[in-house]
Amino acid sequence: MVMPLPTSSPEQQVLEWQAAKGTFDRRCVVCHGCYDAPCQLKLSSWDGIARGATDAKVYDTTRLREAKPTRLNIDESTVEGWRARGFFPILPENEQLDPARSLITRMLELKRENPLPLDSRPLSKSFELGLDREESCPVAGKFDEYRRDHPTWGMPYALPGLADADHQALTGWVAAGTPHQPLAALAPEVEQSVARWEAFFNAPGLKEQVVSRYIYEHLFLGSLYFEGLDEQTFFRLVRSHTPSGMPIVEIPTRRPYEDPGQPTFFYRLQRRDDTRLYKTQIPYPLSDARMARYRELFFDPPYEVTKVPGYRREVASNPFEAFAELPVGSRYRFMLDDAQFIMAGFIKGPVCRGQVALNVIEDRFWILFLEPDSPLIAQEAQLLAQSQEDLSLPAEMGSNNLLVTWRQYAKKEERFLQRKSDYLNAIYSTGAMTQQQIWDGDARNDNAALTVTRHFDSATVVKGLIGGDPKTAWVLDYSLFERIHYLLVAGYDVFGNIGHQLQSRMYMDFLRMEGEFNFLTFLPSERRKPLMESWYRDTDDEVKDHVYGKFAFYDQQTGLTFQTATPEHELFEMFRQWVAPVLERKHELGEDALAPLSMLRGKQASLLAEISFVEVRKAGGDAYFTLLRDSAHTNVAHLFEEEERRVVAEDQLTVLRGFVGAYPNTLYSVAEADVPAFVAAVTALDSDLAYTALRDRFGVRRTDPRFWDLSDRMHAAFPRLEPLESGLFDYNRLAAE
C-alpha cells in the first residue's frame, strides 16, 4: 500500500499531526467515532483514518447470515487487510496520490463550495438524518457523481462548516503527506504496573486460570486505568498470542469466551490510542487494593478447582456451568463491587443501539441488588446447580441463530422461575422480605443504587436514584445479574444474524420481568398483581405470568409496613433512605432555578426531545444540565408498534445536573437572567408551534453559527465534571428542527 511521504521536517510533522488530530476530534469524531459511524468511517485514531470507509453496515436488522466482524485494531492489523475486506481510502493512496483528489479533501472542499446556511432555522429537508437512513459512501473515483447528486452533502455533514484554521489544519495535513505520530512511551512506573498485572492474570495453576478467565470475560469491554498513578491512559484487557514483553498480537474471536485456537495464550493490557467517546468509555480502575480484593474474593476462600472450562459453546456461553467451581458469593461480590461498570457493558456496548433493541426497557427505572448475605444468595449455588440446563442462553446457538428455537428458551425460563419461586417461598416462609434484604453498598460503595434511562434508541446508566419515583424498579440477584451480562455483553455479537439479535432481545424480556418480580416481593401481597397489571396493560396472561402469576409467584407477606393504597411509592422512599449513606448525588438538582421543570407531566414533557443539554451562562462560570423525557408506554413487552403503545399523558421530565446521555437531540444556551423565561416557556408548551418558538428563542440548532462554539464549551466542561467517564458526545441523533 503506497501512501505519500511527508514533505516537512520531523518537528513540523508533529505540529501538522497535532493540528489535524485536534480538528478531527473536535469536528469529525463527534459523528465518526463508533460502530454506528456513517460508512464505518472511524476518525478517532490514525488506524481508523487510514482504514477508511465501506458501505457495509455493522447494524443490519435484515441480515440472514452472520457478517464477518470489522472491529478496528482487532479483526485486521494492516491497511492492506482492510482493503481486501472492501474498505476504501479517504486519504491519498496508490494511484490517487494527488492530495487534492483524495476523498477527504474533496468532501471538505464541497462543504466550502456549498456551505450550510447559518441562520439558525431548521435544517433543510434535503438532508437525510436518522440512524437507519440510506448512507452514501462514495469512493474517490465516483465523487463527481456524488457531488452532482448531493451538492450540499460536504463534510461536516448537516452541520456548520469548518473555520478557516480547522479547514487548513486538515487539508494542509493531507497535502503534507498525512504525517502522524505514535503515542509517547509509557512512564516507567506505568510499564511496571502493566507487567505486574499481566503476571497476575497469567499466573500458573488451575484456579488462577479459571479466575483470570472469569475476570476477563467481564472486563473485556472496559477502559482499564491505574488508579492513583495514571488516570488518563487507558487499556483493554485482551487475549494475545504473545507473552508479556513482546508486541501484542490479539486473538480476534467474536466473543470473549470463544476458543482462542491454541492451548496457550496470554492476557495482556493493550493500550488504547483512540479518542475517548462518552458512548464507549467504561472506566475500570486497577490498583494494589483491587488486586488484594481479587485475592480476597477468589483465592482466600477454601475451595477446589479441578479443571479449566472447555470452549464448547454450550458450556462457554453458560457461566453457571463454565464457572460452577468458583464460589457464587465471590462471583456476585465481584460484580457488585463495580455494578455500574457491569451494567454499562449492556448500556454502552454494541447491543445498545436501535429502537427495537432498547424498547425492552422502560424509559427510566432504578436498579438495586439483593444483599450478598441474604438467605437466597446463601442457597443460590444449590439453585444454580439444579438449573444449569435451564439457564442456558441463546448465544449457545452461535451468531446464525434460528428463531424456531425460541420456544425452548421460553420453556427453560418458565421452569427456572418456578424453581426459584419455590426456593423463595421456602426460604422466607418464616422471615419476610424487608429492606435489610437489599444491599446497602456495605455502607461505603456507591454502586448500590443505579438509574437507567432510555432515550428511544440509546440509553444511559448512572449511579444514584435520579428523578422522581419511577414506574418500575429491578432488584437483581446474582443469577439475574450474570445472565444480563452473558446475554447482552459477553454473548452478544453485533455482527450476528437477525435471529441472534431478536433472540437476545426477546430473552431480555424475561430478565426484565424477573427483576420486576424481585421488586414486587417487597410489597404487600394484595398490591403485587394490580401493580404488575398496570405495568403490562394490553398484554396477554402468559406475559404477565412471567412477572407475577403462574411461573413467578411469591405467597409470603412482606415484612414492611405500609400506610397508603400505593405502597410502591413508600417502598421507593424506603429504598432511597436505606442506601442514602452511599447514594451518588452529583446529578441531583437541588434548589436550582430549573427545578420546577422536574414537575412537568404529560404533553409539556412529550413535546421535548429525548435528551436536551442546557447551558446556563453565568458570570462566575457556565453550568450544564440535562433534560430527559421519560416516554410512557402501556407496556414494553412487545417488539414492534411502539408508537401505538405510547401514553403521552404519563410522560415525565427528569432534570439533572451535568451531562447524562451520549447522543444529545437538542441544545440550549440560556443566559442566567433568562432562566425564569426559559422555565416559563417550557412549562407553557402546548403545541408544536410553541416548541418551535422555544427552539427559536433559546435553542442552538445544528444550523446555528454558534453551534461549534457551544460544542467546544461542552466538551471542555465535561472532563471537569467527569474526569474518568467523560468523552466526546455523538451528534448523529441531533434533531433537524
Side-chain angles (χ1 to χ4, degrees):
M1 196 65 58
V2 179
M3 301 184 76
L5 295 175
T7 58
S8 52
S9 68
E11 295 76 15
Q12 186 61 28
Q13 291 172 29
V14 171
L15 297 176
E16 289 165 341
W17 169 238
Q18 289 176 344
K21 185 69 169 64
T23 301
F24 276 126
D25 289 350
R26 292 181 295 104
R27 300 292 181 263
C28 307
V29 180
V30 289
C31 289
H32 287 277
C34 199
Y35 271 124
D36 50 14
C39 306
Q40 288 197 56
L41 177 57
K42 295 184 68 174
L43 302 176
S44 53
S45 69
W46 162 251
D47 289 334
I49 298 167
R51 179 178 73 165
T54 178
D55 59 4
K57 288 191 173 184
V58 173
Y59 293 94
D60 185 352
T61 57
T62 65
R63 187 184 291 139
L64 298 180
R65 300 287 298 173
E66 66 183 22
K68 198 171 183 179
T70 54
R71 296 164 297 183
L72 186 64
N73 300 125
I74 297 176
D75 297 309
E76 291 290 345
S77 59
T78 65
V79 173
E80 290 84 356
W82 289 119
R83 295 292 171 268
R85 287 188 180 225
F87 281 76
F88 55 85
I90 65 168
L91 300 177
E93 190 176 287
N94 290 346
E95 69 277 5
Q96 295 173 346
L97 289 177
D98 180 1
R101 303 294 295 173
S102 66
L103 189 60
I104 184 172
T105 300
R106 300 191 74 184
M107 281 289 191
L108 293 169
E109 292 295 347
L110 181 61
K111 187 74 171 192
R112 303 283 276 190
E113 295 167 6
N114 300 279
L116 192 69
L118 297 181
D119 51 17
S120 194
R121 288 182 297 181
L123 188 69
S124 165
K125 296 187 183 300
S126 65
F127 290 95
E128 296 178 8
L129 299 177
L131 294 179
D132 296 319
R133 68 182 182 270
E134 189 70 30
E135 293 181 352
S136 296
C137 306
V139 298
K142 295 185 177 181
F143 183 79
D144 289 338
E145 180 181 337
Y146 174 89
R147 176 177 176 174
R148 182 188 68 244
D149 294 341
H150 308 294
T152 61
W153 286 17
M155 295 297 146
Y157 177 82
L159 289 168
L162 301 182
D164 290 344
D166 289 330
H167 182 83
Q168 178 57 37
L170 293 181
T171 57
W173 172 73
V174 175
T178 66
H180 57 279
Q181 302 294 319
L183 292 173
L186 293 172
E189 58 271 21
V190 175
E191 293 227 6
Q192 292 168 10
S193 293
V194 168
R196 194 162 71 89
W197 273 97
E198 289 183 350
F200 174 85
F201 286 126
N202 294 296
L206 285 178
K207 183 179 290 187
E208 287 77 4
Q209 291 179 57
V210 177
V211 169
S212 291
R213 175 169 164 177
Y214 181 77
I215 294 173
Y216 164 70
E217 290 180 13
H218 289 77
L219 301 191
F220 73 101
L221 278 186
S223 299
L224 281 59
Y225 67 96
F226 295 111
E227 188 174 30
L229 180 62
D230 182 345
E231 300 190 351
Q232 293 302 308
T233 299
F234 294 91
F235 300 82
R236 292 190 302 119
L237 184 59
V238 304
R239 296 187 297 182
S240 174
H241 293 285
T242 53
S244 294
M246 296 181 63
I248 293 174
V249 181
E250 185 169 353
I251 299 172
T253 56
R254 285 179 180 268
R255 297 174 175 86
Y257 54 68
E258 291 183 347
D259 193 341
Q262 59 190 63
T264 302
F265 61 88
F266 306 91
Y267 295 106
R268 303 288 304 279
L269 288 172
Q270 173 71 66
R271 186 179 181 183
R272 297 189 58 164
D273 67 350
D274 53 339
T275 301
R276 279 166 52 180
L277 308 175
Y278 185 27
K279 166 66 178 75
T280 56
Q281 174 73 353
I282 315 177
Y284 185 91
L286 299 178
S287 64
D288 291 344
R290 173 76 66 185
M291 192 177 289
R293 178 61 167 166
Y294 286 170
R295 296 189 187 282
E296 176 188 5
L297 290 175
F298 295 110
F299 297 106
D300 290 350
Y303 69 97
E304 184 180 6
V305 171
T306 62
K307 64 181 185 301
V308 175
Y311 289 105
R312 282 191 309 111
R313 282 198 311 229
E314 296 81 358
V315 174
S317 65
N318 186 337
F320 310 109
E321 183 173 354
F323 301 107
E325 294 187 322
L326 297 184
V328 167
S330 296
R331 285 182 269 165
Y332 188 35
R333 285 282 188 181
F334 166 82
M335 299 181 76
L336 287 180
D337 281 352
D338 298 272
Q340 185 204 22
F341 172 88
I342 300 295
M343 188 57 64
F346 156 40
I347 298 300
K348 290 193 170 190
V351 66
C352 198
R353 187 274 198 189
Q355 171 258 341
V356 172
L358 270 296
N359 69 9
V360 71
I361 58 176
E362 297 284 355
D363 261 42
R364 182 173 57 87
F365 59 95
W366 292 351
I367 296 179
L368 297 116
F369 302 90
L370 208 62
E371 163 60 41
D373 295 326
S374 68
L376 177 62
I377 299 300
Q379 296 192 32
E380 198 162 18
Q382 182 179 347
L383 172 62
L384 297 178
Q386 295 174 357
S387 308
Q388 276 187 12
E389 175 59 27
D390 289 335
L391 291 173
S392 60
L393 297 166
E396 69 177 349
M397 305 296 293
S399 297
N400 284 320
N401 214 327
L402 300 175
L403 280 175
V404 294
T405 64
W406 169 244
R407 192 58 199 160
Q408 75 184 51
Y409 289 103
K411 287 294 185 185
K412 290 180 178 182
E413 173 67 7
E414 290 162 9
R415 288 195 297 268
F416 175 71
L417 282 178
Q418 291 172 324
R419 190 178 295 116
K420 176 181 174 180
S421 297
D422 288 337
Y423 263 77
L424 277 172
N425 280 280
I427 290 170
Y428 292 104
S429 61
T430 58
M433 287 285 196
T434 68
Q435 64 263 44
Q436 282 80 15
Q437 301 303 307
I438 294 294
W439 182 50
D440 66 354
D442 302 320
R444 55 178 170 74
N445 191 328
D446 60 5
N447 283 274
L450 308 177
T451 300
V452 173
T453 56
R454 178 201 167 200
H455 325 296
F456 186 68
D457 54 12
S458 67
T460 308
V461 57
V462 297
K463 295 176 182 177
L465 301 176
I466 65 173
D469 289 354
K471 176 181 176 182
T472 67
W474 298 359
V475 175
L476 302 188
D477 52 42
Y478 166 66
S479 65
L480 181 52
F481 203 9
E482 194 78 279
R483 276 179 291 156
I484 291 173
H485 177 76
Y486 274 85
L487 175 73
L488 298 178
V489 186
Y492 185 78
D493 178 16
V494 70
F495 299 96
N497 77 337
I498 185 174
H500 167 69
Q501 295 172 21
L502 288 180
Q503 288 252 40
S504 301
R505 157 60 176 82
M506 292 164 69
Y507 195 96
M508 184 58 201
D509 266 322
F510 294 146
L511 303 188
R512 180 198 67 247
M513 291 188 281
E514 193 174 334
E516 292 170 341
F517 164 73
N518 290 345
F519 172 75
L520 289 173
T521 62
F522 289 85
L523 290 170
S525 57
E526 64 273 13
R527 180 57 180 160
R528 294 168 193 161
K529 193 162 187 176
L531 182 59
M532 178 271 293
E533 295 275 1
S534 74
W535 296 344
Y536 288 87
R537 286 168 280 178
D538 302 330
T539 60
D540 57 37
D541 288 341
E542 184 177 4
V543 170
K544 297 172 184 176
D545 280 339
H546 287 84
V547 190
Y548 194 81
K550 178 180 176 182
F551 306 122
F553 51 87
Y554 183 63
D555 301 327
Q556 312 307 315
Q557 187 53 274
T558 179
L560 298 170
T561 301
F562 298 96
Q563 306 296 328
T564 69
T566 54
E568 59 273 18
H569 296 292
E570 296 178 74
L571 183 58
F572 286 137
E573 182 58 29
M574 290 178 187
F575 284 165
R576 193 185 280 113
Q577 294 300 320
W578 182 248
V579 298
V582 298
L583 202 59
E584 173 62 73
R585 300 182 183 276
K586 65 185 176 185
H587 292 299
E588 292 184 4
L589 199 59
E591 300 298 320
D592 192 87
L594 292 176
L597 296 181
S598 63
M599 305 298 294
L600 288 189
R601 301 290 186 273
K603 189 167 187 178
Q604 293 106 316
S606 72
L607 287 168
L608 291 168
E610 296 277 349
I611 305 177
S612 300
F613 289 164
V614 180
E615 175 190 61
V616 176
R617 303 191 305 275
K618 299 182 177 182
D622 299 337
Y624 295 89
F625 303 86
T626 301
L627 311 182
L628 299 180
R629 187 185 81 202
D630 303 339
S631 301
H633 304 80
T634 56
N635 69 80
V636 292
H638 299 296
L639 276 168
F640 306 113
E641 299 179 340
E642 180 176 354
E643 192 58 33
E644 295 181 14
R645 290 181 280 117
R646 287 278 284 111
V647 187
V648 169
E650 297 176 11
D651 285 0
Q652 302 181 45
L653 195 65
T654 300
V655 187
L656 307 169
R657 289 190 182 277
F659 300 102
V660 176
Y663 297 92
N665 305 120
T666 57
L667 308 177
Y668 297 92
S669 182
V670 184
E672 183 175 21
D674 292 333
V675 168
F678 175 75
V679 170
V682 175
T683 303
L685 287 175
D686 59 2
S687 65
D688 291 337
L689 188 63
Y691 178 67
T692 299
L694 173 75
R695 299 283 290 132
D696 288 343
R697 182 175 179 186
F698 299 107
V700 178
R701 294 188 174 96
R702 61 191 307 152
T703 57
D704 198 302
R706 301 171 295 166
F707 178 84
W708 288 123
D709 287 341
L710 174 57
S711 175
D712 289 342
R713 292 196 300 273
M714 292 192 307
H715 282 129
F718 198 15
R720 295 195 297 267
L721 298 172
E722 302 278 1
L724 293 170
E725 293 191 22
S726 62
L728 296 178
F729 302 115
D730 192 305
Y731 293 152
N732 277 298
R733 290 169 172 82
L734 276 177
E737 89 291 338

